[in-house]
PDB file of all heavy atoms in Angstrom:
ATOM      1  N   PRO A 457      29.892  45.334  -0.169  1.00  0.00           N
ATOM      2  CA  PRO A 457      28.956  46.220  -0.889  1.00  0.00           C
ATOM      3  C   PRO A 457      27.795  45.498  -1.564  1.00  0.00           C
ATOM      4  O   PRO A 457      26.659  45.984  -1.528  1.00  0.00           O
ATOM      5  CB  PRO A 457      29.859  46.913  -1.915  1.00  0.00           C
ATOM      6  CG  PRO A 457      31.210  46.929  -1.264  1.00  0.00           C
ATOM      7  CD  PRO A 457      31.294  45.637  -0.513  1.00  0.00           C
ATOM      8  N   ALA A 458      28.041  44.347  -2.177  1.00  0.00           N
ATOM      9  CA  ALA A 458      26.968  43.642  -2.883  1.00  0.00           C
ATOM     10  C   ALA A 458      25.887  43.167  -1.922  1.00  0.00           C
ATOM     11  O   ALA A 458      24.688  43.171  -2.260  1.00  0.00           O
ATOM     12  CB  ALA A 458      27.534  42.463  -3.665  1.00  0.00           C
ATOM     13  N   ILE A 459      26.281  42.783  -0.729  1.00  0.00           N
ATOM     14  CA  ILE A 459      25.301  42.323   0.262  1.00  0.00           C
ATOM     15  C   ILE A 459      24.533  43.513   0.840  1.00  0.00           C
ATOM     16  O   ILE A 459      23.323  43.450   1.060  1.00  0.00           O
ATOM     17  CB  ILE A 459      25.996  41.497   1.352  1.00  0.00           C
ATOM     18  CG1 ILE A 459      26.560  40.210   0.734  1.00  0.00           C
ATOM     19  CG2 ILE A 459      25.041  41.168   2.493  1.00  0.00           C
ATOM     20  CD1 ILE A 459      27.403  39.383   1.658  1.00  0.00           C
ATOM     21  N   VAL A 460      25.243  44.617   1.061  1.00  0.00           N
ATOM     22  CA  VAL A 460      24.573  45.840   1.498  1.00  0.00           C
ATOM     23  C   VAL A 460      23.507  46.245   0.484  1.00  0.00           C
ATOM     24  O   VAL A 460      22.368  46.579   0.841  1.00  0.00           O
ATOM     25  CB  VAL A 460      25.598  46.974   1.690  1.00  0.00           C
ATOM     26  CG1 VAL A 460      24.891  48.322   1.857  1.00  0.00           C
ATOM     27  CG2 VAL A 460      26.484  46.699   2.892  1.00  0.00           C
ATOM     28  N   ASP A 461      23.853  46.204  -0.788  1.00  0.00           N
ATOM     29  CA  ASP A 461      22.914  46.582  -1.843  1.00  0.00           C
ATOM     30  C   ASP A 461      21.687  45.680  -1.831  1.00  0.00           C
ATOM     31  O   ASP A 461      20.547  46.162  -1.940  1.00  0.00           O
ATOM     32  CB  ASP A 461      23.612  46.501  -3.201  1.00  0.00           C
ATOM     33  CG  ASP A 461      22.672  46.854  -4.347  1.00  0.00           C
ATOM     34  OD1 ASP A 461      22.123  47.969  -4.352  1.00  0.00           O
ATOM     35  OD2 ASP A 461      22.484  45.991  -5.233  1.00  0.00           O
ATOM     36  N   ALA A 462      21.897  44.379  -1.670  1.00  0.00           N
ATOM     37  CA  ALA A 462      20.775  43.443  -1.666  1.00  0.00           C
ATOM     38  C   ALA A 462      19.838  43.699  -0.497  1.00  0.00           C
ATOM     39  O   ALA A 462      18.600  43.722  -0.647  1.00  0.00           O
ATOM     40  CB  ALA A 462      21.297  42.005  -1.632  1.00  0.00           C
ATOM     41  N   VAL A 463      20.399  43.916   0.680  1.00  0.00           N
ATOM     42  CA  VAL A 463      19.560  44.144   1.865  1.00  0.00           C
ATOM     43  C   VAL A 463      18.819  45.476   1.761  1.00  0.00           C
ATOM     44  O   VAL A 463      17.634  45.579   2.121  1.00  0.00           O
ATOM     45  CB  VAL A 463      20.417  44.078   3.142  1.00  0.00           C
ATOM     46  CG1 VAL A 463      19.627  44.565   4.360  1.00  0.00           C
ATOM     47  CG2 VAL A 463      20.916  42.651   3.382  1.00  0.00           C
ATOM     48  N   ASN A 464      19.488  46.496   1.259  1.00  0.00           N
ATOM     49  CA  ASN A 464      18.830  47.796   1.137  1.00  0.00           C
ATOM     50  C   ASN A 464      17.663  47.771   0.154  1.00  0.00           C
ATOM     51  O   ASN A 464      16.745  48.586   0.243  1.00  0.00           O
ATOM     52  CB  ASN A 464      19.834  48.869   0.729  1.00  0.00           C
ATOM     53  CG  ASN A 464      20.573  49.448   1.925  1.00  0.00           C
ATOM     54  OD1 ASN A 464      20.052  49.486   3.035  1.00  0.00           O
ATOM     55  ND2 ASN A 464      21.803  49.887   1.704  1.00  0.00           N
ATOM     56  N   ARG A 465      17.684  46.838  -0.781  1.00  0.00           N
ATOM     57  CA  ARG A 465      16.593  46.748  -1.749  1.00  0.00           C
ATOM     58  C   ARG A 465      15.309  46.191  -1.128  1.00  0.00           C
ATOM     59  O   ARG A 465      14.211  46.421  -1.656  1.00  0.00           O
ATOM     60  CB  ARG A 465      17.014  45.882  -2.939  1.00  0.00           C
ATOM     61  CG  ARG A 465      18.040  46.553  -3.840  1.00  0.00           C
ATOM     62  CD  ARG A 465      18.548  45.600  -4.910  1.00  0.00           C
ATOM     63  NE  ARG A 465      19.599  46.232  -5.697  1.00  0.00           N
ATOM     64  CZ  ARG A 465      19.400  46.924  -6.815  1.00  0.00           C
ATOM     65  NH1 ARG A 465      18.167  47.076  -7.284  1.00  0.00           N
ATOM     66  NH2 ARG A 465      20.402  47.466  -7.470  1.00  0.00           N
ATOM     67  N   ILE A 466      15.438  45.461  -0.020  1.00  0.00           N
ATOM     68  CA  ILE A 466      14.242  44.911   0.618  1.00  0.00           C
ATOM     69  C   ILE A 466      13.946  45.575   1.966  1.00  0.00           C
ATOM     70  O   ILE A 466      12.898  45.335   2.552  1.00  0.00           O
ATOM     71  CB  ILE A 466      14.356  43.384   0.811  1.00  0.00           C
ATOM     72  CG1 ILE A 466      15.573  43.015   1.668  1.00  0.00           C
ATOM     73  CG2 ILE A 466      14.439  42.685  -0.528  1.00  0.00           C
ATOM     74  CD1 ILE A 466      15.675  41.533   1.956  1.00  0.00           C
ATOM     75  N   ARG A 467      14.865  46.385   2.433  1.00  0.00           N
ATOM     76  CA  ARG A 467      14.666  47.076   3.714  1.00  0.00           C
ATOM     77  C   ARG A 467      13.618  48.171   3.556  1.00  0.00           C
ATOM     78  O   ARG A 467      13.599  48.918   2.591  1.00  0.00           O
ATOM     79  CB  ARG A 467      15.996  47.692   4.161  1.00  0.00           C
ATOM     80  CG  ARG A 467      15.924  48.472   5.469  1.00  0.00           C
ATOM     81  CD  ARG A 467      17.284  49.046   5.835  1.00  0.00           C
ATOM     82  NE  ARG A 467      17.772  49.978   4.840  1.00  0.00           N
ATOM     83  CZ  ARG A 467      17.454  51.275   4.788  1.00  0.00           C
ATOM     84  NH1 ARG A 467      16.608  51.787   5.677  1.00  0.00           N
ATOM     85  NH2 ARG A 467      17.969  52.056   3.851  1.00  0.00           N
ATOM     86  N   GLY A 468      12.728  48.291   4.536  1.00  0.00           N
ATOM     87  CA  GLY A 468      11.767  49.382   4.524  1.00  0.00           C
ATOM     88  C   GLY A 468      12.470  50.721   4.635  1.00  0.00           C
ATOM     89  O   GLY A 468      13.546  50.828   5.250  1.00  0.00           O
ATOM     90  N   PRO A 469      11.907  51.787   4.075  1.00  0.00           N
ATOM     91  CA  PRO A 469      12.607  53.070   4.025  1.00  0.00           C
ATOM     92  C   PRO A 469      12.750  53.775   5.368  1.00  0.00           C
ATOM     93  O   PRO A 469      13.620  54.602   5.545  1.00  0.00           O
ATOM     94  CB  PRO A 469      11.738  53.902   3.067  1.00  0.00           C
ATOM     95  CG  PRO A 469      10.375  53.311   3.181  1.00  0.00           C
ATOM     96  CD  PRO A 469      10.601  51.840   3.385  1.00  0.00           C
ATOM     97  N   PHE A 470      11.906  53.453   6.342  1.00  0.00           N
ATOM     98  CA  PHE A 470      11.956  54.118   7.641  1.00  0.00           C
ATOM     99  C   PHE A 470      11.927  53.075   8.754  1.00  0.00           C
ATOM    100  O   PHE A 470      11.055  53.103   9.627  1.00  0.00           O
ATOM    101  CB  PHE A 470      10.795  55.103   7.785  1.00  0.00           C
ATOM    102  CG  PHE A 470      10.726  56.105   6.663  1.00  0.00           C
ATOM    103  CD1 PHE A 470       9.701  56.041   5.727  1.00  0.00           C
ATOM    104  CD2 PHE A 470      11.699  57.083   6.539  1.00  0.00           C
ATOM    105  CE1 PHE A 470       9.635  56.958   4.698  1.00  0.00           C
ATOM    106  CE2 PHE A 470      11.640  58.002   5.506  1.00  0.00           C
ATOM    107  CZ  PHE A 470      10.617  57.947   4.577  1.00  0.00           C
ATOM    108  N   ASN A 471      12.877  52.143   8.724  1.00  0.00           N
ATOM    109  CA  ASN A 471      12.843  51.052   9.694  1.00  0.00           C
ATOM    110  C   ASN A 471      13.462  51.422  11.037  1.00  0.00           C
ATOM    111  O   ASN A 471      13.429  50.623  11.967  1.00  0.00           O
ATOM    112  CB  ASN A 471      13.489  49.794   9.122  1.00  0.00           C
ATOM    113  CG  ASN A 471      14.952  49.984   8.766  1.00  0.00           C
ATOM    114  OD1 ASN A 471      15.362  51.070   8.368  1.00  0.00           O
ATOM    115  ND2 ASN A 471      15.737  48.931   8.887  1.00  0.00           N
ATOM    116  N   LEU A 472      14.031  52.603  11.163  1.00  0.00           N
ATOM    117  CA  LEU A 472      14.496  53.126  12.450  1.00  0.00           C
ATOM    118  C   LEU A 472      13.803  54.448  12.725  1.00  0.00           C
ATOM    119  O   LEU A 472      13.597  55.252  11.815  1.00  0.00           O
ATOM    120  CB  LEU A 472      16.013  53.341  12.451  1.00  0.00           C
ATOM    121  CG  LEU A 472      16.845  52.247  13.130  1.00  0.00           C
ATOM    122  CD1 LEU A 472      16.817  50.990  12.292  1.00  0.00           C
ATOM    123  CD2 LEU A 472      18.269  52.716  13.344  1.00  0.00           C
ATOM    124  N   SER A 473      13.469  54.691  13.979  1.00  0.00           N
ATOM    125  CA  SER A 473      12.845  55.958  14.355  1.00  0.00           C
ATOM    126  C   SER A 473      13.901  57.050  14.472  1.00  0.00           C
ATOM    127  O   SER A 473      15.101  56.779  14.646  1.00  0.00           O
ATOM    128  CB  SER A 473      12.121  55.812  15.696  1.00  0.00           C
ATOM    129  OG  SER A 473      13.064  55.607  16.745  1.00  0.00           O
ATOM    130  N   GLY A 474      13.451  58.289  14.410  1.00  0.00           N
ATOM    131  CA  GLY A 474      14.370  59.400  14.607  1.00  0.00           C
ATOM    132  C   GLY A 474      15.001  59.370  15.988  1.00  0.00           C
ATOM    133  O   GLY A 474      16.196  59.658  16.154  1.00  0.00           O
ATOM    134  N   ALA A 475      14.205  58.995  16.996  1.00  0.00           N
ATOM    135  CA  ALA A 475      14.741  58.891  18.357  1.00  0.00           C
ATOM    136  C   ALA A 475      15.804  57.805  18.442  1.00  0.00           C
ATOM    137  O   ALA A 475      16.834  57.970  19.108  1.00  0.00           O
ATOM    138  CB  ALA A 475      13.599  58.592  19.331  1.00  0.00           C
ATOM    139  N   GLY A 476      15.567  56.685  17.753  1.00  0.00           N
ATOM    140  CA  GLY A 476      16.540  55.603  17.766  1.00  0.00           C
ATOM    141  C   GLY A 476      17.838  56.003  17.103  1.00  0.00           C
ATOM    142  O   GLY A 476      18.932  55.678  17.591  1.00  0.00           O
ATOM    143  N   ILE A 477      17.745  56.696  15.988  1.00  0.00           N
ATOM    144  CA  ILE A 477      18.949  57.140  15.281  1.00  0.00           C
ATOM    145  C   ILE A 477      19.780  58.066  16.169  1.00  0.00           C
ATOM    146  O   ILE A 477      20.999  57.896  16.309  1.00  0.00           O
ATOM    147  CB  ILE A 477      18.561  57.845  13.967  1.00  0.00           C
ATOM    148  CG1 ILE A 477      17.943  56.833  12.994  1.00  0.00           C
ATOM    149  CG2 ILE A 477      19.768  58.529  13.329  1.00  0.00           C
ATOM    150  CD1 ILE A 477      17.283  57.469  11.786  1.00  0.00           C
ATOM    151  N   ALA A 478      19.118  59.035  16.795  1.00  0.00           N
ATOM    152  CA  ALA A 478      19.829  59.993  17.635  1.00  0.00           C
ATOM    153  C   ALA A 478      20.413  59.335  18.884  1.00  0.00           C
ATOM    154  O   ALA A 478      21.576  59.566  19.243  1.00  0.00           O
ATOM    155  CB  ALA A 478      18.875  61.129  18.032  1.00  0.00           C
ATOM    156  N   ALA A 479      19.609  58.508  19.546  1.00  0.00           N
ATOM    157  CA  ALA A 479      20.079  57.854  20.773  1.00  0.00           C
ATOM    158  C   ALA A 479      21.215  56.886  20.480  1.00  0.00           C
ATOM    159  O   ALA A 479      22.190  56.795  21.236  1.00  0.00           O
ATOM    160  CB  ALA A 479      18.923  57.130  21.455  1.00  0.00           C
ATOM    161  N   GLY A 480      21.095  56.139  19.383  1.00  0.00           N
ATOM    162  CA  GLY A 480      22.149  55.200  19.027  1.00  0.00           C
ATOM    163  C   GLY A 480      23.461  55.895  18.737  1.00  0.00           C
ATOM    164  O   GLY A 480      24.533  55.439  19.169  1.00  0.00           O
TER     165      GLY A 480
END
Side-chain angles (χ1 to χ4, degrees):
I459 295 173
V460 168
D461 179 58
V463 169
N464 275 331
R465 289 173 184 269
I466 59 176
R467 179 180 62 85
F470 305 110
N471 61 327
L472 260 70
S473 68
I477 293 169

